[in-house]
Amino acid sequence: MVPFAMLTMMMKLLIFASILLSLCNALQVSTRRAALGSSAVVVPFLATGRVALAQPSEFKSMGTQAPLPAGESNDFKTLNDGVKIKDFRVGKDGASVENGSRVEFLCTGRLLNLNGVIFYSTKNNVLEGFGPQPINFTIGKGEALPGLESGMIGMKKTGIRRIIVPADLAYSQYPNLMPQPMSIEEQRALDSVVKNPRRDATILFDVQLERIK
């Protein structure tokens, strides 16, 4: 026969094992509920179709107006094609940009519909040891946005000009022309305006002319 003391010990062990099993089951249920709870937050967000484009860092408001370049200023002048220009620094004496000119310049492009969010900047085009590299193209060869080319006509070396390009002379009609965004975030910002017919795809460029050939 099994001693009474041993029977008591076996009963205690069985009770302890039962309690431990109950605790494990409760923990598993709690974990599943927590997982389901987090899914209930995430799934509706994904189902909206807005995913990461809802509020990415590149969409943060930069104010109602892009900051002005340093230097002199005057009123905007509207060209015949609808492009608007404003000189903040008139360039040195010498050749002016004209049709056929080869130009090299530093440039920042902003989306007016997104309060001046930057979608292109030569500051990001850095060659190690040489700093930011200018963009270059020949005026009139169809390499760059027609509105940007039009807005640069008449500029001189070292000049700084703000150019506002209407949508029909920018990426809405010429999505593959220069300048092009250099990062995925910048491309997403540009696409969010250009590919949305309800948004104004007017583009603002700040240009500093480095060379004319």
Side-chain angles (χ1 to χ4, degrees), residues 4 8 63 76 78 110 130 133 139 154 179 208:
F4 179 75
T8 303
F76 275 103
T78 302
R110 299 178 183 271
F130 294 91
Q133 298 301 295
I139 302 289
Q208 179 175 322

Side-chain angles (χ1 to χ4, degrees), residues 16 19 67 104 106 112 144 150 160 167 212:
F16 179 76
I19 293 172
E104 291 187 9
L106 299 176
L112 291 186
S150 173
I160 296 176
I212 308 174

